[in-house]
């Protein structure tokens, strides 16, 4: 069929709209958007971008199918559910912490109802959105006061700006970190209107380095968690307790950016030792900041706890309005924090913690279950259970590898990279690790109720 001939037979937009199949689309979407999609499909046919014309199916149906593909794309949610087979529990690219299913009702209610966000029900007068989280944060951490802002980067900026604007902030040269490419301590200090005063060296900063660095213009000491690197060998870090002593002596606030900021000491569960938020406050930090969506397991937020006189300055600061959190954050953070009243409850119900605590035996058992479910793929791939290493991610436990278990897939007929690509592009993207020439699915970060989806996706790409 010549192209010219083909064009002559293109049905009109109206005809397509009025067909039974067209009406079905209109009932699902709307007249307006279906018309737009049909026009796009027709344009594609005219320009030759859409050429899959078979003689089997009427042209109008092929055009409607094409229009439906457009509509599908247009109305698909932008954030897609994904399966994290990487073993990295806090994966910023994959949305960091999964919220606890136990906060779901609270989230829905906050999102779809009017609420007392800034309303005092008792007196019928205006309330403060910050009151919802302060009490529980103080109770859990033992701090005098608390404030929650948009994220930890904002928390650090606010603390610096409120306590040290136009003055000097002292930081160790070993702690001038860059996190995720856009959070760099020197830049954040500058952006907060403060001047950076570096002390010590990359590998060693002694208490006397801080003492010598303090001058007329010093307004704060900042300690930063080295979130994504570890300095090994000949090192000396000045501890929070040592810094607190110096800060108290000089009447300066000690600000501690803890990054992930833990409320539970996970050393009890086989992980390495990291200071908790309570440890830092007890050691004398005046202001501690940390993220809501790292190991804590809540929504994106920057949590600030510490001395009332400093937090009060932050509450009054102009920036606080610009960095404020919304009702869904307040609702889900409060509900997540409530789970921390009982440590066992928190471990059992908060996904980030739940993924960090299982024993190697439990992980092996889980991996065997997944392997068993994949036994139908024996002809298409070699499937095994192996030892592997997971990471906490999100700046907690830098450099630490936690022993874990994975199901590996060595496909026949396609390369390992091709398999990884196809799994990533499936209807539910599955992200794998490639190690030792095989695709690895680390079962630490895959929940049992996701196994059937993993199996389905693998069947799709291997069969
Ligand atoms: C992750 C991290 C931040 C940034 O926190 P966000 O919540 O992502 O803004 C700041 N400081 C440290 C030490 C971190 O680990």
């Amino acid at each position: 069929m010549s192209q010219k001939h083909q064009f002559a037979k293109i049905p009109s937009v109206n005809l397509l709209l009025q067909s039974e199949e067209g009406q079905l689309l209109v009932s699902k979407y709307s007249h307006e958007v279906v018309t737009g999609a049909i026009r796009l499909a027709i344009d594609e046919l005219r320009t030759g971008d859409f050429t899959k014309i078979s003689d089997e199916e009427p042209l109008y149906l092929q055009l409607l199918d094409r229009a439906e593909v457009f509509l599908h794309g247009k109305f698909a949610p932008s954030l897609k559910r994904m399966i994290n087979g990487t073993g990295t529990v806090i994966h910023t690219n994959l949305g960091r912490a999964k919220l606890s299913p136990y906060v779901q009702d609270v989230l829905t209610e906050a999102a779809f109802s009017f609420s007392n966000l800034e309303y005092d029900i008792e007196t019928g007068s205006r309330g403060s959105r910050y009151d919802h989280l302060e009490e529980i944060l103080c109770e859990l951490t033992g701090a005098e006061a608390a404030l929650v802002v948009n994220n930890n980067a904002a928390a650090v900026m606010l603390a610096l700006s409120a306590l040290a604007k136009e003055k000097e902030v002292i930081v160790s040269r070993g702690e001038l970190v860059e996190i995720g490419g856009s959070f760099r301590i020197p830049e954040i200090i500058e952006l907060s209107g403060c001047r950076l005063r570096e002390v010590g060296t990359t590998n060693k900063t002694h208490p006397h380095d801080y003492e010598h660095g303090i001058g007329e213009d010093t307004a704060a000491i900042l300690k930063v968690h080295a979130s994504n690197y570890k300095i090994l060998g000949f090192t000396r870090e000045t501890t929070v307790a040592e810094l607190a002593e110096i800060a108290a002596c000089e009447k300066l606030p000690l600000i501690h950016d803890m990054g992930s900021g833990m409320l539970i000491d996970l050393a009890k569960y086989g992980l390495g030792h990291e200071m908790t938020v309570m440890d830092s406050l007890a050691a004398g930090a005046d202001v501690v900041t940390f993220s809501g969506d790292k190991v804590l397991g809540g929504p994106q937020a920057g949590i600030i706890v510490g001395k009332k006189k400093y937090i009060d300055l932050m509450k009054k600061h102009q920036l606080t309005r610009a960095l404020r959190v919304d009702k869904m954050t307040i609702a889900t953070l409060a509900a997540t924090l409530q789970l921390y009243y009982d440590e066992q409850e928190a471990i059992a119900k908060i996904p980030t913690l739940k993924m960090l605590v299982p024993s190697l035996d439990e992980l092996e058992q889980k991996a065997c279950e997944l392997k068993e479910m994949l036994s139908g793929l024996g002809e298409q791939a070699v499937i095994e259970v192996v030892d592997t290493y997971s990471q906490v991610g999100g700046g907690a436990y830098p450099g630490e590898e936690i022993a874990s278990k994975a199901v590996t897939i060595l496909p026949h007929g396609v390369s390992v990279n091709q398999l990884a690509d196809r799994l990533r592009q499936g209807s539910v993207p599955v992200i794998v690790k490639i190690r030792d020439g095989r695709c690895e699915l680390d079962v630490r970060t895959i929940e049992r109720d996701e196994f059937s989806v993993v199996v389905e996706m693998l069947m799709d790409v291997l069969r």
Side-chain angles (χ1 to χ4, degrees):
M1 203 192 305
S2 78
Q3 259 208 333
K4 202 170 169 200
H5 192 172
Q6 208 181 61
F7 287 162
K9 284 177 58 185
I10 294 178
S12 73
V13 174
N14 256 338
L15 213 90
L16 287 162
L17 272 171
Q18 273 148 26
S19 69
E20 200 181 318
E21 295 81 0
Q23 284 300 299
L24 214 66
L25 284 181
V26 169
S27 69
K28 203 167 152 195
Y29 298 96
S30 78
H31 184 86
E32 189 81 12
V33 292
V34 175
T35 306
I38 288 174
R39 289 217 168 94
L40 271 177
I42 291 175
D43 281 351
E44 263 198 6
L45 186 68
R46 288 217 173 94
T47 56
D49 288 337
F50 166 51
T51 50
K52 279 193 219 109
I53 302 301
S54 82
D55 294 331
E56 314 284 293
E57 207 185 355
L59 180 59
Y60 86 93
L61 279 185
Q62 296 187 43
L63 284 165
L64 283 172
D65 282 349
R66 186 67 190 146
E68 190 167 11
V69 170
F70 287 137
L71 291 166
H72 237 269
K74 194 168 179 145
F75 288 95
S78 182
L79 291 184
K80 282 179 111 173
R81 164 192 179 197
M82 285 181 25
I83 307 282
N84 176 6
T86 66
T88 300
V89 175
I90 313 293
H91 202 307
T92 298
N93 301 149
L94 304 188
R96 289 206 182 155
K98 295 210 278 185
L99 290 180
S100 167
Y102 293 88
V103 312
Q104 188 161 3
D105 290 348
V106 164
L107 170 61
T108 311
E109 193 148 300
F112 298 100
S113 317
F114 290 124
S115 65
N116 61 331
L117 179 66
E118 290 188 357
Y119 189 83
D120 185 331
I121 295 172
E122 210 135 289
T123 62
S125 58
R126 193 194 162 107
S128 161
R129 73 175 59 216
Y130 296 106
D131 290 346
H132 298 280
L133 293 160
E134 185 157 24
E135 203 175 303
I136 189 164
L137 280 167
C138 292
E139 196 175 343
L140 289 171
T141 63
E144 286 176 12
L147 176 63
V148 177
V149 291
N150 185 52
N151 58 9
N152 189 30
V156 175
M157 248 187 92
L158 176 61
L160 291 171
S161 189
L163 305 182
K165 199 177 171 78
E166 285 162 18
K167 302 248 173 163
E168 264 178 21
V169 177
I170 302 205
V171 190
S172 158
R173 289 198 170 90
E175 296 174 4
L176 295 173
V177 307
E178 169 179 310
I179 291 148
S182 54
F183 180 87
R184 309 175 95 198
I185 289 294
E187 267 100 329
I188 290 284
I189 289 175
E190 196 178 319
L191 213 65
S192 311
C194 310
R195 287 191 307 278
L196 167 64
R197 174 87 161 85
E198 304 173 23
V199 296
T201 61
T202 306
N203 57 326
K204 282 195 172 201
T205 305
H206 301 272
H208 61 76
D209 291 322
Y210 284 93
E211 280 161 354
H212 293 162
I214 294 169
E216 286 278 283
D217 238 11
T218 308
I221 300 176
L222 175 66
K223 181 162 184 64
V224 185
H225 185 270
S227 287
N228 43 17
Y229 67 99
K230 205 167 182 168
I231 300 178
L232 298 170
F234 196 51
T235 66
R236 169 69 157 100
E237 181 185 336
T238 304
T239 64
V240 176
E242 288 168 331
L243 287 176
E245 205 174 305
I246 298 168
C249 214
E250 303 284 345
K251 298 199 167 43
L252 295 172
L254 170 61
I255 304 167
H256 188 188
D257 169 12
M258 294 194 84
S260 196
M262 254 126 0
L263 297 182
I264 293 176
D265 180 5
L266 292 173
K268 276 183 265 179
Y269 302 91
L271 277 89
H273 177 71
E274 278 228 7
M275 225 181 182
T276 62
V277 173
M278 295 71 129
D279 291 337
S280 177
L281 290 169
D286 297 298
V287 172
V288 175
T289 76
F290 55 104
S291 296
D293 56 351
K294 289 186 176 173
V295 175
L296 187 87
Q300 178 189 302
I303 301 170
I304 312 170
V305 293
K307 297 249 163 73
K308 185 168 184 303
K309 65 173 173 181
Y310 297 128
I311 304 270
D312 279 348
L313 287 173
M314 293 180 220
K315 285 180 180 168
K316 279 187 248 151
H317 198 283
Q318 280 296 312
L319 258 181
T320 304
R321 174 63 179 79
L323 305 175
R324 81 177 189 187
V325 284
D326 82 324
K327 59 191 178 222
M328 289 177 285
T329 304
I330 292 173
T332 50
L333 184 56
T336 305
L337 289 169
Q338 281 163 7
L339 297 170
Y340 276 91
Y341 278 135
D342 179 325
E343 184 171 315
Q344 291 316 313
E345 189 94 337
I347 299 270
K349 294 183 172 173
I350 297 173
T352 48
L353 300 175
K354 199 172 153 190
M355 286 181 216
L356 287 172
V357 300
S359 69
L360 215 47
D361 283 348
E362 287 171 73
L363 291 167
E364 165 124 38
Q365 168 68 30
K366 207 171 153 188
C368 289
E369 284 169 36
L370 179 57
K371 185 189 165 200
E372 184 60 37
M373 287 173 74
L374 289 168
S375 58
L377 286 170
E379 306 244 310
Q380 284 81 24
V382 182
I383 296 167
E384 288 174 327
V385 170
V386 301
D387 291 321
T388 190
Y389 289 99
S390 316
Q391 292 199 338
V392 180
Y397 300 91
E400 191 163 327
E401 294 186 314
I402 334 168
S404 188
K405 293 282 175 179
V407 172
T408 59
I409 297 142
L410 180 61
H412 305 314
V414 290
S415 74
V416 166
N417 284 318
Q418 277 170 326
L419 176 62
D421 287 348
R422 288 184 197 171
L423 282 171
R424 195 184 63 245
Q425 289 156 6
S427 59
V428 179
V430 178
I431 309 300
V432 300
K433 237 185 327 191
I434 296 178
R435 208 173 66 103
D436 294 339
R438 291 177 291 192
C439 281
E440 271 192 15
L441 289 160
D442 188 325
V443 293
R444 181 184 296 280
T445 46
I446 308 175
E447 293 194 63
R448 277 193 173 82
D449 64 9
E450 294 173 316
F451 281 1
S452 58
V453 181
V454 173
V455 174
E456 197 184 314
M457 293 302 121
L458 269 164
M459 295 264 188
D460 275 359
V461 298
L462 286 175
R463 284 248 166 98

